[in-house]
Amino acid sequence: MKKILIVEDNNDSLEIMNLFITKMGYQAIKAKNSNEAIAFAEAERPDLIFMDMELPDLDGVKTTAILKQNPKTSHIPVVALTAWMSVLWEEKASKVGITTYLIKPVSLQMLKETIEENTKGSLSRGEAQL
């Protein structure tokens, strides 16, 4: 079963995402801030991370930059899931390696497609980019 880390400080959003992801047949791991996100990413080695941009400690871009610099977590695809509709934030996200920038609210179909795009054959995609 593929594992998906949800990094979200809003309890309602976190529980909704948890429900959607588990209903789709994935194991959800929940983190409420940057520190938890980094710790859970290292310990659990998820197949994908959904990253909120506005977190209580570090923002999602800085958190992703830390994850991408860590050899244990650098290979994990990160998808921004945020209410921030901003070209500047989208550019910052792209620069640190965030693969997709989704604006909340996101449909179940969009979530499903994003998960499938970012988790199937991620090794071959990574190797192809070298």
Side-chain angles (χ1 to χ4, degrees):
M1 179 186 292
K2 290 188 176 168
K3 293 191 252 185
I4 299 174
L5 175 58
I6 310 160
V7 185
E8 172 63 69
D9 63 323
N10 178 289
N11 278 332
D12 291 340
S13 296
L14 184 61
E15 290 310 318
I16 290 167
M17 280 293 292
N18 180 52
L19 185 67
F20 286 172
I21 286 169
T22 52
K23 278 199 178 290
M24 283 185 240
Y26 302 103
Q27 179 186 343
I29 305 157
K30 300 183 284 186
K32 291 187 175 190
N33 58 48
S34 176
N35 285 332
E36 286 183 5
I38 293 162
F40 291 154
E42 277 191 11
E44 299 284 342
R45 307 283 172 96
D47 297 284
L48 177 64
I49 299 171
F50 279 109
M51 181 73 67
D52 186 17
M53 291 289 98
E54 188 174 12
L55 297 170
D57 41 7
L58 290 178
D59 66 50
V61 168
K62 289 177 184 156
T63 304
T64 301
I66 292 166
L67 290 169
K68 292 297 180 184
Q69 291 167 6
N70 182 337
K72 293 178 184 172
T73 57
S74 62
H75 67 284
I76 304 168
V78 179
V79 172
L81 187 60
T82 183
W84 290 359
M85 216 181 322
S86 158
V87 173
L88 177 65
W89 275 98
E90 201 165 339
E91 285 173 6
K92 284 181 179 183
S94 180
K95 283 181 184 167
V96 297
I98 290 176
T99 60
T100 310
Y101 195 89
L102 299 177
I103 306 295
K104 294 177 192 170
V106 177
S107 71
L108 228 80
Q109 186 60 35
M110 178 60 80
L111 265 185
K112 190 175 192 295
E113 287 172 13
T114 303
I115 291 168
E116 287 170 1
E117 282 171 20
N118 284 282
T119 60
K120 67 176 177 200
S122 56
L123 279 179
S124 59
R125 253 203 344 247
E127 289 165 4
Q129 293 174 350
L130 294 178

